[in-house]
Amino acid sequence: MATAKPISKIAVFIAVGLAVVAAALIYMAAPDQAPGSPSASGAKAPNLSPVALAGARAFDANCAKCHGQAGLGSDKGPPFLHPVYNPGHHSDEAFHRAVRQGARAHHWTFGDMPAQPQVTDKEITEIVRYVRELQEANGIVAQPHNM
């Protein structure tokens, strides 16, 4: 009967390293989502206006790390493709104030949003246009605010 050769430490190290890399790639490929947000495959991407295209670039640079790609949310911030952010409940001015002054957590459990002083007023306007066009394409329209 033949005896099995012992596995070398290098082979174990390589196997563990490959497993870690594979797990990291799978994790990074998963869409960022928050409770109540649509799946990445369920969100409709509209043909954006020039202002919204500029807003998409500013959103990706400043907002997506918390609010997810295309506003789908993440484990750090809520989704903007959610009815609670419709223009009748959160006006464009509310977005401007949140970026300038920060916002207390009130619909979600992600914690307070800090002010974002690096974002210019023009970029805020562009970001809001981007969010509104995404919302409209996904059926989120102004609804009366009822308390």
Side-chain angles (χ1 to χ4, degrees), residues 31-145:
D32 292 335
Q33 292 187 17
S37 67
S39 68
S41 62
K44 295 177 186 164
N47 290 325
L48 298 172
S49 69
V51 172
L53 281 171
R57 289 188 292 275
F59 184 94
D60 288 346
N62 297 285
C63 312
K65 64 183 169 256
C66 294
H67 293 287
Q69 290 302 110
L72 290 171
S74 77
D75 62 350
K76 295 179 184 85
F80 289 134
L81 292 186
H82 189 283
V84 76
Y85 287 106
N86 83 76
H89 187 76
H90 285 87
S91 68
D92 294 358
E93 181 58 31
F95 279 89
H96 280 265
R97 278 194 312 270
V99 174
R100 283 286 154 254
Q101 302 169 8
R104 284 183 325 171
H106 57 288
H107 292 298
W108 313 95
T109 59
F110 297 102
D112 296 343
M113 176 184 154
Q116 302 296 309
Q118 78 282 2
V119 182
T120 67
D121 288 337
K122 181 179 183 225
E123 288 173 321
I124 298 170
T125 298
E126 294 166 342
I127 289 167
V128 171
R129 183 76 255 135
Y130 170 62
V131 169
R132 295 303 189 207
E133 288 184 23
L134 283 174
Q135 289 176 333
E136 187 175 325
N138 287 278
I140 299 169
V141 295
Q143 300 290 320
H145 179 66

